[in-house]
Amino acid sequence: RLTRVLPDGSKRVVAHTGAGPNSCAAGPGGSVLLTINGGFNWATGGGLTRPVGQADDYASGAIEKVNPITGEVAVLYAHATSADGASIPLKGPNDLVVDSTGGFWFTDLGKKRDRDKDFGGVYYAHPDGSGCREVVFPMESPNGVGLSVDGTKLFVAETPTGKLLCFNVVAPGSLKESARDQSQVLYTAPDFYRFDSLAIDGEGNICIATLGHGRWGAAASRWLSRTALDCYSSFRRVTLTLLILRSAGHATKTRSSLSQEVGDS
């Protein structure tokens, strides 16, 4: 389901989508673009419910377009064109970001089964259904994706490696680097932290959700220092890992001031 959360906190179902709606973004003409991962099997334990692999009734992944007024859902893409011109099925689209032209980048995490899993990739597509291309492949379960404020950098977070990668955008849908190992590794998380979705805040920082440890992180566009701080919520202790830009002639916030800011919020 695609659900709208209203200002008073109430919720309204906008549309019933394909299996596994994962991420959404505003598309052209008031539409909503959705990544459809195809669904997971789920397991419970330790007070948590978590995905454990490809759903038994899995069919495919897709990109869908939703009319939020009527609730109409249309499959925009179920396949992409590979670098060698072949038509390839989308396996598990995960996150997406729309650029200034209206086209959008998205990650395909792939699907995992008991004894094997898919490589993932980064794709670029047009919102009118005229084309969807594989741009970077293979990758290790790419998850979050975002663009720098000026649109010149594409950031991708890989889940199992805990790496934040940066690619240079040379034109809509085109990158300077054609392979994962040509990208710049901006940050590698410690201690088996796994990265999830990401977003760019109003100051150009990259905010990354993490799996398994209850953390999120904010990374500046240059990684010269890292500050960790602790805060508390009503149900669990949360550690926030902040990657702070430290540059000559500019003051850097201290651990104590950051802790106070988080506590006040």
Side-chain angles (χ1 to χ4, degrees):
R1 294 178 294 182
L2 177 65
T3 302
R4 172 176 285 148
V5 181
L6 302 175
D8 63 1
S10 62
K11 296 179 289 185
R12 181 171 69 83
V13 175
V14 173
H16 292 274
T17 69
N22 207 106
S23 184
C24 65
S31 65
V32 179
L33 300 170
L34 283 175
T35 55
I36 302 297
N37 66 37
F40 294 100
N41 286 330
W42 299 85
T44 57
L48 299 174
T49 300
R50 59 187 179 86
V52 293
Q54 178 177 298
D56 292 337
D57 60 353
Y58 170 80
S60 69
I63 301 294
E64 292 183 346
K65 180 186 284 188
V66 176
N67 182 323
I69 305 301
T70 65
E72 180 184 0
V73 179
V75 175
L76 198 61
Y77 298 105
H79 292 78
T81 302
S82 69
D84 60 4
S87 177
I88 53 174
L90 299 178
K91 296 298 186 69
N94 189 282
D95 198 11
L96 78 163
V97 60
V98 180
D99 67 18
S100 61
T101 71
F104 59 98
W105 297 91
F106 69 92
T107 54
D108 191 319
L109 189 80
K111 304 301 285 186
K112 184 170 68 173
R113 295 160 291 274
D114 288 342
R115 292 284 182 172
D116 66 288
K117 69 174 186 176
D118 303 316
F119 282 115
V122 172
Y123 297 76
Y124 187 83
H126 298 282
D128 60 0
S130 61
C132 177
R133 295 185 298 105
E134 182 183 77
V135 182
V136 182
F137 182 87
M139 298 187 74
E140 289 289 341
S141 301
N143 195 314
V145 64
L147 286 165
S148 60
V149 175
D150 63 6
T152 64
K153 307 289 185 184
L154 183 75
F155 304 108
V156 180
E158 289 187 331
T159 296
T161 66
K163 291 185 183 297
L164 176 62
L165 308 178
C166 177
F167 298 85
N168 291 286
V169 180
V170 295
S174 297
L175 301 176
K176 178 181 178 182
E177 303 84 4
S178 59
R180 173 186 183 270
D181 59 5
Q182 296 172 355
S183 67
Q184 180 184 3
V185 179
L186 295 180
Y187 183 69
T188 301
D191 304 327
F192 298 101
Y193 281 84
R194 295 175 295 151
F195 282 163
D196 202 328
S197 190
L198 68 80
I200 313 302
D201 69 14
E203 297 181 354
N205 297 316
I206 307 164
C207 302
I208 311 170
T210 63
L211 298 168
H213 294 266
R215 295 190 182 186
W216 65 272
S221 58
R222 294 183 184 274
W223 283 253
L224 301 181
S225 68
R226 180 165 64 92
T227 302
L229 59 96
D230 295 334
C231 70
Y232 294 83
S233 70
S234 60
F235 63 95
R236 71 193 311 184
R237 182 183 182 195
V238 181
T239 300
L240 308 183
T241 301
L242 302 182
L243 308 182
I244 306 301
L245 173 62
R246 187 191 301 274
S247 59
H250 293 80
T252 302
K253 295 180 181 179
T254 65
R255 178 185 176 118
S256 59
S257 67
L258 283 167
S259 298
Q260 184 64 42
E261 288 177 16
V262 172
D264 289 345
S265 64

